[in-house]
Amino acid sequence: MIVAQPVLVSGPTAATAEEVDLSAVTAAAPLTPADLFHLYADRTWVWENGAAYFAKDGRQLRAWTDGANASIGQGRWLVTKNGKLCMDAKWKTLAGSTQGRTCFSHHRLGGTIYQMKDPSGSWYVFQASPAQPAQEYDKFKSGDTTAATFEKMRQMISPGGQPAPVKSGG
């Protein structure tokens, strides 16, 4: 049996829009669980080749990617005391499935929130204050904006499977 590799979400690879002392970001205060919940709950994070929906009720997660390695992911999202958002999901492709966890750290320096993919990513501007063009948080949309696309991808990858329920709103 062929088992698919987990699809891991990645943030931007370009430098931040402002020069920042990365050691200062690392030493800055992590976001609280309440701050993280407010940023992610009932929002869709749109990626270059897919999206993830973070349900408010039950913290269910539903994600998809398209292209040569099309996949769907279903699971839960969680926040930690040390400023991390983690996505635990079972990822399915045409080749098989696997369980995976992807986490992002969030720190606040001044009014700007920085994000880093764990464990070995680089810090970048997630949500600037004042807002900057092309900040990562601009890719977040209120509500479940790609449910129809997720269902289309689910039918393509797992035609007989049933989707896990994900409630919108709250």
Side-chain angles (χ1 to χ4, degrees):
M1 176 170 121
I2 298 174
V3 177
Q5 294 297 314
V7 177
L8 300 178
V9 183
S10 61
T13 56
T16 61
E18 61 185 39
E19 286 298 317
V20 174
D21 177 359
L22 296 182
S23 62
V25 174
T26 301
L31 266 62
T32 67
D35 289 340
L36 286 169
F37 184 82
H38 177 72
L39 285 172
Y40 284 86
D42 193 30
R43 297 193 192 284
T44 300
W45 189 359
V46 179
W47 308 321
E48 184 176 328
N49 66 337
Y53 174 63
F54 301 85
K56 185 182 243 182
D57 298 335
R59 293 196 190 178
Q60 292 184 13
L61 172 76
R62 182 173 57 213
W64 59 271
T65 63
D66 63 9
N69 296 316
S71 63
I72 59 169
Q74 293 178 277
R76 294 178 50 84
W77 63 281
L78 58 104
V79 294
T80 69
K81 291 186 293 187
N82 60 349
K84 289 186 184 187
L85 171 282
C86 295
M87 298 176 279
D88 285 328
K90 181 174 185 179
W91 288 93
K92 293 182 182 180
T93 69
L94 291 172
S97 65
T98 190
Q99 191 74 27
R101 176 179 267 202
T102 303
C103 296
F104 291 87
S105 287
H106 299 76
H107 286 197
R108 186 184 316 269
L109 183 61
T112 298
I113 298 170
Y114 293 85
Q115 183 183 62
M116 177 182 74
K117 183 178 175 192
D118 289 324
S120 57
S122 299
W123 289 108
Y124 52 87
V125 172
F126 180 70
Q127 186 181 44
S129 178
Q132 295 179 355
Q135 64 186 7
E136 189 66 17
Y137 198 67
D138 289 345
K139 298 175 184 176
F140 280 71
K141 308 300 176 204
S142 185
D144 187 358
T145 64
T146 64
T149 305
F150 174 85
E151 182 57 26
K152 178 180 157 189
M153 297 300 293
R154 188 191 65 76
Q155 287 294 331
M156 180 187 81
I157 291 169
S158 183
Q162 295 297 317
V166 175
K167 296 178 184 176
S168 180

